[in-house]
Structure formats: structure tokens, C-alpha cells
Amino acid sequence: MSRDRLDDRTVDALATIARQAPVPPITDARRDAQIARAIAEAEDRAVLETPRARSRTPYVAWAIAAAALVALAFVTMRDAPTADVGEGVLVLATGDRVTTAPHAALALDEVSPESRRISVHAGEALFDVRPLEPNESFVVRTPELEVTVRGTVFSVERVGDRTVVRVYEGRVDVRERGELVSITPGETYRSGEGRARDAQEGALAAIGRAAAAAREPVAARTPIAEPAPIAEPAPTAEPTSVPEPTPIPEPAPVAARRTTIEPEPTPAIEPAPTPPAPSLAEIQSLVASRRFAQALDAARAARAHAPTEWRFGMLEAHALQGLGRAAEAADAYDALARTAPSAQRAEAAFRAATLRWRELADARGAVTSLDAVDFAQSALEERALGLRARALDAAGDRTAARDAARAYLARYPEGGLADVMQALVAP
């Protein structure tokens, strides 16, 4: 079975699970568990066989990652009307791109070819909206105001009970309490205050400017002014007689002397200024636009300036994965599983294990990556338990595989992999 077919089935299964998910309200812990379970079920309904080594292209690798991100976002938003989608990029089926800052809370109220309606409840989101047809609409709402666009790049940020709208390209119409105001690039609208020039940039400003630059039309030509006429020269006056100059006496002879020429000092060469390190937002923009080679260089340059900043390391690993360099990416994720903050170690370890299991056909390596982190109380716990059992079985360690399968069933007796685990436990 090809990976492309596998991912079609994975996405289809995710859609089915999302439609069958319980209706909110639910707790954050249960929501996280359902997300992890939905993805696990989708993947394992699609394939149960031992992975084989496959040739991969960077494009296919990115397509799989993007499909998983979109599916996860929709499952999250299905489970909770207001979902904390965190930091990432969501590409709608209509081609519009939504980039979210950390802890952004959004709701997709409607997504159809004719109408897109999105609510921002907290945090910041950047919208790169393609030019709309006359019968289409794109509206972003917050409790304070409503933003309508025809195809532009803008961001909406909500902090407390205030909303800030920033425009990077095109024009947006902001309606607050019945009053309509048009905002153009470089301008900002603040709820309760109106239009302003914003001195404080949002977290997604660099991505907004990059998106605007990519869409910027060719500037209109400036007409060349007609040359000014050349004035006629004034008539020349008749010359007047000039008296003869008084002759200057010859100077007395001077004895010749030798002149020593001092060499000029060699100017000191100033060292070239060190370029500033790429920012986190700039590297995220490169990854989001699939410019993985540039993202890799930028992430490594940023890590040289800030070696303890784990997020640069995570972006480096993402870029390596996007380039199809699975072994290097897995090693980078393993390193993060040892050095990143505790909340991110589980994600890094699971990414490393998944790459070794699926892309490198290294079942024993996948187990080693999983064993580096304690997944208890993590949203990835169920998936990690299931992957560990299958990897042990693929590595030929049947006894350990049965023990791992029993641990899964004790923790998740009705989990998405329960049937697979029952088969491993069976004699």
C-alpha cells in the first residue's frame, strides 16, 4: 500500500471520527485525549502491517504533515466551539491560509466556497485570503467587532476584551457598533479607539509582511515629465581693453634639497557587522511556505545565537523532515526529547519514534525513542503505548510486545487500537 493512498484513508477516517465525536462541552484533558485517539484510530484503521523502507520526496513528506495538521485542527474545532489551536498553519479547502500564534482560540463557524466565517476568541491569527469572487464572502468576528475582506492579508488579535486589527496588504472593512471604517496597509484598528498607526507589532507581523510581499502588484509607472524648454543665450557684450600686467621679477635661485616622502599609514579594516539572527516568526514562515532548505539554514543560524532555545531546534527538525532527511530529523527530535522543556519532550520523542517506525523501518530504534520519555498523563500516551507494542512485535520481541499490549488494554480497554492489541495478546 502506498503512502499517498494511506494518507487519503487516514484523512477520510479522521473526518468520520470527527463527525462521530461527542458534542461539547468537555474538559481540556478529555479533549486532548480525543484528539490523540482520533489520529491513532485513523492511522491504524488504514494500515496494520509492518512498515517497509520507502523512497520519499520532500513534497510528499510535507503533504502528509500538512494533511495531519489540517485534520487535527478540524477535529479540535469539532470537539469544542472555541478551540485553543495553538501555534501553526491551517489551509482551508478554499485556499485561504490561517496562521495562528501560540494559545490562539478560534472557531470555524462556516467554511464553504461561498462563505467563510471565523470567530477569534483569544490570541492572534493572520489571514491570507485569496481574491474573492463577487458571490463570495470572508468575515472574521470577535465579541467587539466584525471584519470583512475581499482578498487581503491582515491579522486579528484579541487580548482581554479588546480587539486589534492590523492590515499588511489590501483593504479591510471594520464594523463596530454600526460604524464602518476602512483600514489600509500599515494602519491598525483598535476596538473602542478606532483607526491608528500601530507602533507595537503583533507576533505574526513578519509572516504578514512576507505574505503581503508575495502578493504585491507591480507598481504603476510614474509618467515622465516633459523637459523644460532651453532658454536662448543672452547676447555677449563687447570686450573692453585690459591694461598690460606689471612684469614680476624673477625669484632668487634656491639650493636643491632632498625631500623624504613619508609613507601613508594603512587604514585599519573594520570587521563586517554580524547579521542579526533570524527570528522565530521568520523561520516559522519559511517552514509554513515549504522553503525547507532556507528554514534549515535560518534555524541553525538562530541556534548558534541562542543554543538553549528549544523552539529553534524543533523548527530545524521540522525542516529536516520536510527535506526528506528522515534519519537526521529523527536524531534531532531525539535530542529535543532530552533537552526541551518537559511539556515538549513527549512530542519530540513521539515524532522521532514515528519517523523511525514509518520512514526508516527501524522498529528497535522506535522503541528506544519512546523509552526516553515518560508519556504518562500526556495527550500522546495512548498512541505511544500502541506504537511501542507494535514496534516490539516487529522487532521480534514477542514477550515484550504482549506485555506492552496488555499495558495498553489496561489503560485504554476501549481505545482505538484495542483490536490490534487483543491480537498481539492472543497466543
Side-chain angles (χ1 to χ4, degrees), residues 32-74:
D32 291 342
Q34 286 182 350
I35 293 170
R37 179 176 299 180
I39 296 175
E41 288 182 17
E43 291 173 342
D44 292 288
R45 287 179 188 178
V47 61
L48 297 177
E49 73 271 16
T50 302
R52 299 182 301 275
R54 305 173 179 90
S55 61
R56 305 286 293 161
T57 64
Y59 177 82
V60 175
W62 169 253
I64 294 169
L69 176 63
V70 172
L72 178 60
F74 274 102

Side-chain angles (χ1 to χ4, degrees), residues 147-183:
V147 181
T148 305
V149 303
R150 298 302 306 167
T152 181
V153 180
F154 69 102
S155 68
V156 176
E157 180 180 17
R158 187 164 191 263
V159 180
D161 59 354
R162 290 297 182 93
T163 298
V164 180
V165 181
R166 299 179 178 91
V167 179
Y168 300 97
E169 192 270 342
R171 189 195 77 181
V172 305
D173 294 331
V174 180
R175 185 180 297 278
E176 182 181 15
R177 297 176 182 175
E179 183 177 353
L180 186 66
V181 178
S182 295
I183 309 298

Side-chain angles (χ1 to χ4, degrees), residues 120-144:
V120 177
H121 295 271
E124 183 178 8
L126 176 77
F127 302 90
D128 186 350
V129 183
R130 65 169 179 78
L132 304 184
E133 298 296 333
N135 64 330
E136 294 181 274
S137 65
F138 194 108
V139 178
V140 178
R141 292 191 177 99
T142 73
E144 290 76 41

